[in-house]
Amino acid sequence: MIVAGAGVQGTGHLATGRGCQDAFRAADLGDAVVLAVADGAGGRERSALGAHLAVDTACRVLAEGVPGTDEPPGVWTGWAAACGTRLVADHLRAAEGILRAAGPPALSGQAGPEEPGGLPRALQEPSAPPVDTGALAATVAAAVLRPPWVVFVAVGDCFGTVLTRGTTDPGPPPGSGGLPIESPGPTPGPGGPPPEAAERCHLVLPPPGPGGPGPVFLSSPGAALRVRSFAVWEPELTGVVLATDGCTALTLDHPSARALPPQAGPLPSERFFCGLASTLRANGGDAEPLRALLSGPEAARTGDDLTVLCALTGGW
């Protein structure tokens, strides 16, 4: 597989002297790959560390126990849900450990061997003052690509797109309960590729719509109940792309661009996603064109950090 990613500091962060608070990471499993992107909360001083912790935790959790390609849909969806629950729990545990270790010497010195409960002694002491894990607040989106399956797990407003070849609807996977992709066919209007384009893009993990609840982070109360996790079975799968919310203006089209009503929601820009895939396949996965695109004037409109990470299947 070709795996490529880039993260760029937003113009708004440059203007205020803040560093990039996004992070990304990939893990090669041989016949599968794990991708993760994270966006640290802008108002938190340690959110960049939180973003790096989020992608590290996501890659570790999703690299374990990946189902086989012949497993039924129920196994894949159940595994995805379990990964989402564990991701939140492991991230909070790691965040507490980091914050306690960085605290006063008397606190960090309490750490000792693990008790039967599995937590370090310092984390089990009832006298230990609570720590604010919100200091490491971050959103995250992760994916496991094992064709013809791809699993998404996300907390917050990062989003994900899949790429497919052809324009036919393959129908449901063997068994029942899978989530096949609905192929829209050639895209009319400006920005779309010609009808004979090799790949199509599908926004299967959209950012939360306007008017919903406020932002949710891995450290938010009840985050485990707001995890988005699901599995997609797609025999024509050719890739997956994850992005942080700073990329929405660059990568997503308003439905009016395709003569659709506003309630249709944002649509993936085929010019961006299919063009990116074509470029990476042609240059062997060199991410420099992606970095240049994320640094361009069109990308600077939001002022936020921008991060994109993708994996493309071989033999295309």
Side-chain angles (χ1 to χ4, degrees):
M1 293 190 195
I2 293 175
V3 178
V8 173
Q9 185 179 13
T11 55
H13 286 211
L14 283 169
T16 58
R18 288 181 294 167
C20 182
Q21 295 171 321
D22 282 2
F24 67 92
R25 184 176 177 180
D28 185 0
L29 307 181
D31 63 343
V33 64
V34 183
L35 308 176
V37 300
D39 181 4
R44 297 293 185 140
E45 186 176 352
R46 293 183 172 182
S47 62
L49 175 58
H52 283 279
L53 179 62
V55 296
D56 288 350
T57 304
C59 283
R60 176 175 53 81
V61 169
L62 272 70
E64 298 178 4
V66 182
T69 55
D70 57 348
E71 294 286 357
V75 171
W76 279 89
T77 56
W79 179 76
C83 285
T85 301
R86 185 180 164 198
L87 171 58
V88 174
D90 284 12
H91 177 83
L92 289 175
R93 173 176 167 167
E96 287 183 7
I98 290 172
L99 293 171
R100 289 192 188 281
L107 245 183
S108 58
Q110 293 176 11
E114 286 196 356
E115 293 292 333
L119 290 176
R121 191 187 307 276
L123 300 187
Q124 299 187 47
E125 289 290 345
S127 59
V131 294
D132 178 18
T133 54
L136 302 179
T139 63
V140 67
V144 178
L145 176 62
R146 192 173 200 176
W149 290 95
V150 57
V151 161
F152 289 90
V153 176
V155 176
D157 50 13
C158 299
F159 56 98
T161 301
V162 298
L163 300 171
T164 62
R165 65 171 64 85
T167 60
T168 58
D169 182 355
S176 62
L179 177 62
I181 300 299
E182 293 184 3
S183 301
T187 302
E196 66 273 13
E199 287 180 284
R200 299 294 174 193
C201 54
H202 316 266
L203 183 64
V204 297
L205 179 70
V216 57
F217 304 101
L218 283 163
S219 55
S220 297
L225 300 176
R226 300 175 68 181
V227 176
R228 294 185 287 168
S229 65
F230 57 92
V232 173
W233 179 87
E234 173 52 70
E236 303 298 330
L237 185 67
T238 58
V240 60
V241 186
L242 299 178
T244 56
D245 74 316
C247 301
T248 54
L250 179 67
T251 64
L252 302 182
D253 292 335
H254 190 274
S256 62
R258 303 188 197 177
L260 294 174
Q263 54 267 33
L267 302 170
S269 167
E270 293 194 319
R271 182 179 299 277
F272 178 89
F273 289 106
C274 298
L276 172 64
S278 177
T279 298
L280 291 175
R281 286 197 168 92
N283 69 17
D286 182 359
E288 191 53 39
L290 172 59
R291 187 181 305 278
L293 187 61
L294 298 181
S295 303
E298 190 175 353
R301 286 182 289 169
T302 65
D304 199 3
D305 299 329
L306 300 97
T307 296
V308 170
L309 178 61
C310 69
L312 307 173
T313 60
W316 175 249

